[in-house]
Amino acid sequence: VRVSAARIPALPPAPPSVQTMRRIATSMLCAAVLLSAAHEASAFAPMSLRRPSAALRPPAARRVQGPSLASTRMVTEEMSQAAQMLNANGVEAGTLLAFADQGSNLAGKFFQVSLVPYLSFLYFLGQEANGTPKMSTFGFRFLLLFVVATIPTGIISKVTYGCSLADADWLHGSAELLLTVTNLLIVYGFRQTMGRGEPSFMNNNVKNGALAILAAVGLTCATGIPVFGFEAHTAFLAGIGDLPASFVASSLSFLHEEPKNALSIPTWAIHFSSVYEWIFAMGLVWKYAEASGNEKWKGLTWGMLPLHASGIAACTYHWWYNSPELSFLVALQAGLTALGNTTVAIAALRIALSTGWSPSSIKLPALPGQTPPPSDAAAP
């Protein structure tokens, strides 16, 4: 399947269906806020009128010991012992794999379950006959690296600081940066494919840039504590854009003082950009259905909607300083993620079926000592 550039409109007004989905997304944001109010009205009270919860004040950061950096234990050694330490404290390994350190066990189960349908989604979406933009396919796969990155960052926040990943700003922002990169790759792939008419288009410079960011995140996590001495609430990217505390105290004294676990401006920028990028991706997928002539792609737009709602639930939880009183939002986020991964998998299956895929297309590897069946393409 090849997308013809001549068939692609020059960014026409959004169709009524896309406008409807935008209204639904906005309504979900309002509903999340109202649900928070219904669950615990005190969460909406100014922080100056109520004392922060003791759970929001994690223990002091464990500083690096030793007379010099040569005597500092490498983070890799701590990581090798982290699972045993967490297990001794009653934290199951399944919770780590679910990157649900900030939520309940229910959230962890949801996150674990959501992995299987997402892998199915990648399989069906990657069928060559679909004409899926190659750059966007790489973006969807890049999301798995974000999931993997949340495991070491979650371990570091728990073992070193005794708090959740959501409360350790520099670790939180570093992990979420990979999610933003994922969404940018998806958007870039669909835009370039519709502009060029070539689903096979792949910009290696962009791909290598994404991998370089991944390497930078890994290096930051490995050196942040032993080399730079980052503490639990060290701001991501040095808190670029944050107002100085002295200025807030002197000139903006009417504002309440935020707790130490409040997200920094760079971390908030990443969260908001991820939410909006996903909306843009949904709109581009809808337009790709019209450009490619395969209306089944519109089903993927609808399938992406629960994942957008999951992002809104996460932002709502962070907006109220990750309050334990609103921890149900973490389970809600995980449940919406599991639902969204299932709906996009179904949508990708419908796309694959429309382009000729069938269960008989699945080729299982031959067992040891078993002769593989002859290929249909082999000459007689």
Side-chain angles (χ1 to χ4, degrees):
V1 178
R2 182 181 178 86
V3 180
S4 174
R7 300 177 57 187
I8 300 175
L11 298 178
S17 300
V18 175
Q19 296 178 8
T20 300
M21 282 188 290
R22 290 175 179 172
R23 296 189 185 99
I24 293 176
T26 303
S27 301
M28 284 185 173
L29 176 60
C30 297
V33 175
L34 292 176
L35 187 59
S36 301
H39 183 267
E40 182 57 60
S42 64
F44 288 80
M47 294 298 294
S48 59
L49 300 182
R50 62 187 180 96
R51 297 180 61 185
S53 173
L56 299 181
R57 297 192 293 270
R62 177 161 55 88
R63 298 183 180 277
V64 178
Q65 303 294 329
S68 63
L69 291 179
S71 63
T72 303
R73 292 190 306 169
M74 298 300 294
V75 170
T76 52
E77 295 179 353
E78 296 188 2
M79 294 288 291
S80 65
Q81 303 173 4
Q84 297 178 0
M85 296 176 62
L86 288 175
N87 185 58
N89 293 328
V91 180
E92 299 179 357
T95 302
L96 298 178
L97 295 177
F99 59 93
D101 62 295
Q102 57 184 314
S104 62
N105 292 331
L106 178 60
K109 298 301 181 183
F110 276 136
F111 279 126
Q112 293 177 59
V113 169
S114 67
L115 183 59
V116 174
Y118 191 79
L119 293 176
S120 302
F121 161 72
L122 293 178
Y123 171 77
F124 292 122
L125 191 72
Q127 299 300 309
E128 186 176 358
N130 294 345
T132 307
K134 190 175 181 180
M135 197 79 217
S136 297
T137 301
F138 173 74
F140 283 117
R141 292 173 179 173
F142 193 86
L143 180 65
L144 295 177
L145 299 178
F146 158 71
V147 176
V148 172
T150 59
I151 297 176
T153 52
I155 291 176
I156 294 173
S157 62
K158 277 289 187 183
V159 174
T160 306
Y161 302 130
C163 65
S164 70
L165 177 59
D167 292 329
D169 194 75
W170 71 276
L171 287 169
H172 188 193
S174 297
E176 289 292 335
L177 177 60
L178 299 180
L179 181 59
T180 294
V181 172
T182 293
N183 294 344
L184 288 175
L185 290 172
I186 296 171
V187 170
Y188 178 76
F190 278 104
R191 286 293 297 267
Q192 291 297 315
T193 295
M194 288 192 288
R196 297 169 178 265
E198 299 178 3
S200 60
F201 168 76
M202 170 65 77
N203 189 327
N204 289 325
N205 291 331
V206 174
K207 178 180 178 180
N208 294 335
L211 296 176
I213 293 176
L214 173 65
V217 169
L219 183 63
T220 300
C221 295
T223 60
I225 297 175
V227 177
F228 299 103
F230 289 163
E231 299 182 353
H233 304 303
T234 298
F236 176 61
L237 294 181
I240 299 175
D242 286 351
L243 293 176
S246 58
F247 174 77
V248 174
S250 60
S251 303
L252 302 176
S253 57
F254 59 90
L255 297 177
H256 70 266
E257 180 181 358
E258 291 190 316
K260 292 182 178 181
N261 70 330
L263 272 61
S264 63
I265 292 296
T267 303
W268 267 124
I270 286 178
H271 279 76
F272 277 111
S273 65
S274 297
V275 171
Y276 290 124
E277 290 155 12
W278 192 251
I279 295 177
F280 296 152
M282 292 169 62
L284 288 174
V285 170
W286 189 277
K287 292 180 180 180
Y288 192 73
E290 300 173 348
S292 63
N294 188 349
E295 293 294 311
K296 299 298 183 182
W297 279 97
K298 293 183 177 180
L300 180 57
T301 300
W302 289 106
M304 295 167 68
L305 190 58
L307 295 174
H308 172 64
S310 173
I312 292 177
C315 289
T316 305
Y317 179 63
H318 298 326
W319 182 262
W320 302 114
Y321 309 116
N322 309 324
S323 172
E325 300 166 347
L326 301 177
S327 60
F328 74 95
L329 288 174
V330 181
L332 176 62
Q333 176 200 1
L336 289 171
T337 298
L339 174 62
N341 287 355
T342 302
T343 53
V344 295
I346 295 173
L349 172 62
R350 295 177 70 244
I351 295 173
L353 291 173
S354 69
T355 57
W357 181 89
S358 64
S360 60
S361 303
I362 302 177
K363 297 181 180 179
L364 299 177
L367 298 175
Q370 180 182 4
T371 303
S375 174
D376 296 338

